[in-house]
């Protein structure tokens, strides 16, 4: 039976690592890339008798996230211990929230490629602590495994969706929307390759017309949108093949390797009761007053949807451009700085989404660490806008800025890249080129009117060469046409 005879159901569990200065239950700093086991203390090492202290900032960030996701905030939430043994979990349990999470039901609207919109319901979001990291062969000394507990106790929000998505496209759109929201609030840096946001994908298939959901599997820890899309496609194919062959899907946890494009079973899926959850005796419930919620509501930053609408209104961008620039908070901020300082929104949008985004993407650098600052790009755009340099020269300037050669003005000066826009000088160059190429001029005059346009390139090439590439091409084009028309 082909795959269109099956209906796919996808639910997501999203781990969002908070950009908190300190850990969830102790004062240890949250850092990335420090030497192993340098940011630890008796609390996050799980020493007997060490008592947790709640991180107030993490609670605030989670409440704000809940509000941005249109979720209900629970006035009372509680802490539970999820018991399991793992080398990177020194306490033997993870402090999390099972019965009473801090954020309740809500929903998020996604937009699909065909322009249609859909609401994806949020089941809840809870706050918990991250585990440490095991370092195996390759990441550590040869033949030895090590444990790094710097990450142990880092605050994490887990956002759990309802199984409302019916395609990989919807799941990716939802994941991107969440990414866009949490980075807009600034509660997460959104660096997926560093694990700041990780996705667990629950997938099941059922024959079209059936009322019962199929058995689902969970593919864990996907850290890119592309891998998520691939993992879902592969898992759907695998489940359909299994069913078609007369087998059945087993509820299990799976891993997807984005480099080898292969998936494998990790373990059979545990139920909540396998973890022997029980209420944490060391932490009091969190009580959130209506006033606190109101206060947070008033401090809510601009949502991505609102920002996109504003970009259309304020800068005259197309819906498409506003959608790309507005959905990513750091990119939006970059674009606005470039626009403010260059006074040209259209060029700022083109360069930010085009040359800059392409280059950052290729080299896997986030816009926050761009070698070309917003101020530098604005400086270059100002020179394009006032006709000092052509678009072609700008590409050279951009390359040089990327390589760290300084500001646009410094590079233009050092390389002698001034564009000639003085019409008197340009007229002279065009006249000289026409005089020196009488055969080309005759050819142009004797060509059918409809085909003349094709002949212009030859003249343009000569003129640009004569001006050492510095003539303003648009102006040259005008002057050239005018002069040729006079000869007809
Ligand atoms: Zn600690």
């Amino acid at each position: 039976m082909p795959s269109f005879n099956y209906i796919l159901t996808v639910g997501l569990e999203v781990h969002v690592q908070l950009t908190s200065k300190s850990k969830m239950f102790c004062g240890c700093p949250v850092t990335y890339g420090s030497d192993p086991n340098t940011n630890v203390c008796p609390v996050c090492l799980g020493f007997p008798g060490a008592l947790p202290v709640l991180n107030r900032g993490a609670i605030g960030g989670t409440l704000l996230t809940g509000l941005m996701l249109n979720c209900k905030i629970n006035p009372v939430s509680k802490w539970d211990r999820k018991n399991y043994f793992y080398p990177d979990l020194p306490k033997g349990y993870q402090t999390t929230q099972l019965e009473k999470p801090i954020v309740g039901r809500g929903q998020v609207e996604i937009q699909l490629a065909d322009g249609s919109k859909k609401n994806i319901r949020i089941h809840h979001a809870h706050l918990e602590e991250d585990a440490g990291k095991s370092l195996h062969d390759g990441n550590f000394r040869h033949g030895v495994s090590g444990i790094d507990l710097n990450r142990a106790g880092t605050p994490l929000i887990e956002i759990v969706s309802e199984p409302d998505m019916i395609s990989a496209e919807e799941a990716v759109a939802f994941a991107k929307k969440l990414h866009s929201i949490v980075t807009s609030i600034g509660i997460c840096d959104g660096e997926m390759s560093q694990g700041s946001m990780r996705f667990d994908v629950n997938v099941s298939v059922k024959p079209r017309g059936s009322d019962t959901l199929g058995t689902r599997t969970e593919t864990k820890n996907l850290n890119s949108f592309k891998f998520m899309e691939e993992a879902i496609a592969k898992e759907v194919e695998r489940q359909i093949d299994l069913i078609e062959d007369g087998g059945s899907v087993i509820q299990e946890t799976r891993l997807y390797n984005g480099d080898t494009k292969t998936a494998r079973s990790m373990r059979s899926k545990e139920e909540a009761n396998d973890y022997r959850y029980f209420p944490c005796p060391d932490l009091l419930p969190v009580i959130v007053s209506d006033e606190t919620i109101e206060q947070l509501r008033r401090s809510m930053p601009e949502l991505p949807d609102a920002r996109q609408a504003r970009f259309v209104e304020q800068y005259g961008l197309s819906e498409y451009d506003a959608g790309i620039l507005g959905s990513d908070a750091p990119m939006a901020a970059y674009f606005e700085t470039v626009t403010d300082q260059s006074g040209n929104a259209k060029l700022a949008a083109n360069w930010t989404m085009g040359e800059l985004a392409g280059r950052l993407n290729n080299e896997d650098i986030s816009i926050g660490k761009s070698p070309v600052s917003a101020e530098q790009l604005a400086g270059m755009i100002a020179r394009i806008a006032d006709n000092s340099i052509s678009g072609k020269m700008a590409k050279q300037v951009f390359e040089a800025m990327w390589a760290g050669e300084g500001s646009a003005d410094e590079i233009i000066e050092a390389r002698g890249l001034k564009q000639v826009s003085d019409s008197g000088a340009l007229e002279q160059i065009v006249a000289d080129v026409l005089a020196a190429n009488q055969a080309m001029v005759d050819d142009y005059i004797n060509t059918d009117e409809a085909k003349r346009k094709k002949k212009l390139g030859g003249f343009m090439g000569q003129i640009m060469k004569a001006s050492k590439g510095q003539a303003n091409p648009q102006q040259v084009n005008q002057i050239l046409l005018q002069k040729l028309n006079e000869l007809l």
Side-chain angles (χ1 to χ4, degrees):
M1 229 189 281
S3 60
F4 58 76
N5 286 327
Y6 290 87
I7 290 176
L8 160 63
T9 304
V10 186
L12 250 53
E13 288 167 27
V14 184
H15 286 98
V16 178
Q17 192 181 308
L18 293 177
T19 47
S20 170
K21 283 200 186 72
S22 54
K23 292 186 181 180
M24 192 62 230
F25 302 113
C26 63
C28 291
V30 174
T31 52
Y32 181 83
S34 301
D35 286 339
N37 302 308
T38 49
N39 300 321
V40 290
C41 75
V43 175
C44 52
L45 290 174
F47 282 14
L51 288 173
V53 177
L54 208 53
N55 177 340
R56 198 187 174 94
I59 303 277
T62 309
L63 292 172
L64 198 56
T65 306
L67 292 175
M68 301 275 283
L69 298 174
N70 307 306
C71 289
K72 178 180 177 290
I73 301 297
N74 289 325
V76 179
S77 58
K78 291 184 173 168
W79 302 95
D80 298 289
R81 289 184 177 182
K82 180 182 183 181
N83 298 281
Y84 64 100
F85 173 79
Y86 218 71
D88 60 15
L89 189 76
K91 295 191 290 191
Y93 63 83
Q94 178 191 31
T95 305
T96 179
Q97 302 186 300
L98 178 73
E99 293 295 336
K100 287 194 184 312
I102 191 162
V103 173
R105 291 186 183 282
Q107 61 180 21
V108 166
E109 188 183 69
I110 57 166
Q111 185 164 9
L112 301 168
D114 65 4
S116 63
K117 291 181 175 174
K118 179 173 176 176
N119 278 326
I120 306 297
R121 290 170 301 155
I122 309 268
H123 181 272
H124 76 271
H126 64 261
L127 197 47
E128 62 186 25
E129 58 179 336
D130 209 345
K133 234 183 204 169
S134 301
L135 305 172
H136 300 299
D137 210 16
N139 289 319
F140 197 53
R141 264 178 280 157
H142 182 67
V144 183
S145 285
I147 305 289
D148 176 9
L149 293 168
N150 282 347
R151 200 178 66 182
T154 300
L156 279 184
I157 302 178
E158 183 173 333
I159 302 167
V160 181
S161 86
E162 294 285 359
D164 284 350
M165 292 150 275
I166 56 160
S167 66
E169 190 206 349
E170 290 188 5
V172 170
F174 176 67
K176 284 186 172 167
K177 190 68 182 269
L178 292 186
H179 184 269
S180 155
I181 290 174
V182 298
T183 51
S184 287
I185 329 172
I187 58 141
C188 175
D189 64 20
E191 301 281 359
M192 294 171 55
S193 58
Q194 293 173 8
S196 295
M197 231 178 145
R198 314 193 285 271
F199 301 91
D200 299 346
V201 182
N202 290 298
V203 174
S204 70
V205 298
K206 64 174 182 185
R208 203 169 274 281
S210 162
D211 290 335
T212 17
L213 279 177
T215 304
R216 69 188 158 92
T217 62
E218 181 186 41
T219 303
K220 279 191 96 68
N221 282 335
L222 297 163
N223 67 352
S224 90
F225 300 126
K226 187 164 150 269
F227 292 167
M228 180 192 287
E229 195 166 359
E230 291 169 0
I232 294 173
K234 272 225 161 4
E235 180 56 12
V236 169
E237 202 181 292
R238 189 189 70 91
Q239 291 188 11
I240 293 176
D241 283 351
L242 261 177
I243 298 168
E244 299 278 293
D245 289 346
S248 52
V249 177
I250 304 163
Q251 190 171 335
E252 62 182 354
T253 302
R254 299 178 61 82
L255 286 177
Y256 177 74
N257 184 326
D259 295 324
T260 58
K261 314 283 175 221
T262 50
R264 66 178 170 85
S265 174
M266 185 167 112
R267 55 171 187 251
S268 66
K269 172 79 181 166
E270 306 83 354
E271 294 296 340
N273 58 15
D274 293 324
Y275 287 111
R276 299 296 186 268
Y277 279 89
F278 66 83
C280 178
D282 288 340
L283 289 160
L284 290 167
V286 178
I287 297 178
V288 184
S289 66
D290 290 347
E291 291 80 54
T292 305
I293 294 174
E294 267 324 299
Q295 221 170 353
L296 279 166
R297 219 182 269 286
R298 280 196 296 273
S299 73
M300 262 165 67
E302 187 178 33
L303 274 161
D305 289 350
R307 185 163 51 224
Q308 287 169 30
R310 180 167 66 78
F311 280 8
V312 172
E313 174 84 5
Q314 185 176 344
Y315 301 117
L317 298 188
S318 67
E319 291 272 351
Y320 179 82
D321 290 359
I324 293 179
L325 289 169
S327 64
D328 182 303
M331 202 186 205
Y334 187 101
F335 158 74
E336 292 209 87
T337 307
V338 176
T339 303
D340 284 350
Q341 301 200 2
S342 69
N344 194 315
K346 186 64 194 149
L347 282 174
N350 288 349
W351 278 87
T352 305
M353 290 190 306
E355 206 73 18
L356 181 81
R359 196 65 191 266
L360 291 170
N361 223 351
N362 278 344
E363 303 199 10
D364 203 16
I365 303 173
S366 66
I367 199 160
K369 299 194 175 94
S370 170
V372 177
S373 70
E375 290 74 16
Q376 279 178 301
L377 190 61
M380 188 193 86
I381 285 173
R383 294 291 86 84
I384 305 175
D386 70 11
N387 280 324
S388 300
I389 54 170
S390 64
K392 206 170 169 187
M393 290 173 187
K395 290 217 161 117
Q396 267 189 61
V397 173
F398 182 84
E399 281 303 313
M401 292 196 300
W402 186 277
E405 291 179 27
S407 72
D409 285 341
E410 285 162 357
I411 294 161
I412 290 167
E413 180 70 34
R415 298 194 173 196
L417 283 174
K418 277 274 177 200
Q419 176 170 248
V420 179
S421 295
D422 168 37
S423 46
L426 290 177
E427 296 226 10
Q428 192 55 53
I429 295 173
V430 175
D432 289 349
V433 167
L434 292 183
N437 292 282
Q438 194 55 50
M440 275 172 78
V441 174
D442 292 342
D443 178 42
Y444 180 84
I445 293 168
N446 296 325
T447 302
D448 280 353
E449 201 181 336
K451 292 180 186 159
R452 277 193 192 127
K453 214 176 167 188
K454 282 190 182 164
K455 304 273 176 190
L456 288 174
F459 291 111
M460 285 298 284
Q462 295 280 347
I463 296 163
M464 293 311 282
K465 205 171 141 195
S467 76
K468 298 192 181 72
Q470 297 183 337
N472 179 333
Q474 277 165 334
Q475 262 179 292
V476 166
N477 198 41
Q478 274 179 8
I479 296 169
L480 176 65
L481 276 174
Q482 198 188 336
K483 287 207 182 292
L484 285 171
N485 277 336
E486 284 166 11
L487 295 172
L488 289 174

